[in-house]
Amino acid sequence: MKTILLIEDDADIRETYAAILTSEGYAVEEASNGRLGLEKLRSMRERPDLVLVDMMMPEMTGAEFLDELHESQAFAAMPVVMVTGSKVTARESRGARHVLKKPVSYETLMRIVAEFCGAP
């Protein structure tokens, strides 16, 4: 089963994305900020197939999460898609494979997930 690590501070958005992805057959691990996302990532038995991370979060932003991720050789090549409600420059995206603008439609979310994870 393909696994997605979902890092989003807004509980309603996180629960909605998780419900959609789970209903489509993906396993979803969740975290409410970048710091907890890193802890979750390090504790997972297998590396997730994709990380969806919000840009603006308390404690550790999506950009800070990506900076930390790229410092680790074990995780540096992992595909990360940034989700944000604001405009993000290429520099601010910190090497994310895609930047999705909120609100993200079901079709866009599933297209991007399929690009990195394939069918569930």
Side-chain angles (χ1 to χ4, degrees), residues 5-7 30-44 60 65:
L5 174 57
L6 173 60
I7 307 170
E30 300 176 41
S32 60
N33 65 55
R35 187 160 321 286
L36 293 174
L38 279 175
E39 290 174 16
K40 176 74 77 171
L41 182 61
R42 291 177 179 137
S43 72
M44 294 173 73
M60 180 183 278
F65 171 84

Side-chain angles (χ1 to χ4, degrees), residues 38 57 59-69 94:
L38 279 175
M57 296 180 288
E59 292 193 43
M60 180 183 278
T61 68
E64 292 167 334
F65 171 84
L66 278 160
D67 289 343
E68 291 279 331
L69 198 68
R94 305 287 211 284

Side-chain angles (χ1 to χ4, degrees), residues 45-91:
R45 285 185 164 178
E46 292 185 28
R47 196 165 72 175
D49 298 283
L50 176 65
V51 176
L52 292 172
V53 62
D54 184 24
M55 175 66 165
M56 300 303 297
M57 296 180 288
E59 292 193 43
M60 180 183 278
T61 68
E64 292 167 334
F65 171 84
L66 278 160
D67 289 343
E68 291 279 331
L69 198 68
H70 292 307
E71 289 181 15
S72 166
Q73 287 187 339
F75 301 125
M78 186 178 321
V80 177
V81 172
M82 188 176 284
V83 184
T84 182
S86 54
K87 185 177 178 180
V88 175
T89 66
R91 182 171 177 236

Side-chain angles (χ1 to χ4, degrees), residues 1 6 8 12 25 52 63 76 99-100:
M1 179 177 282
L6 173 60
E8 167 65 61
D12 291 334
L52 292 172
V99 177
L100 299 178

Side-chain angles (χ1 to χ4, degrees), residues 76-120:
M78 186 178 321
V80 177
V81 172
M82 188 176 284
V83 184
T84 182
S86 54
K87 185 177 178 180
V88 175
T89 66
R91 182 171 177 236
E92 292 170 325
S93 71
R94 305 287 211 284
R97 302 280 180 92
H98 284 289
V99 177
L100 299 178
K101 180 90 164 125
K102 291 179 183 177
V104 179
S105 72
Y106 169 85
E107 292 79 13
T108 299
L109 178 63
M110 296 316 301
R111 179 178 50 78
I112 294 297
V113 168
E115 180 178 329
F116 294 100
C117 298

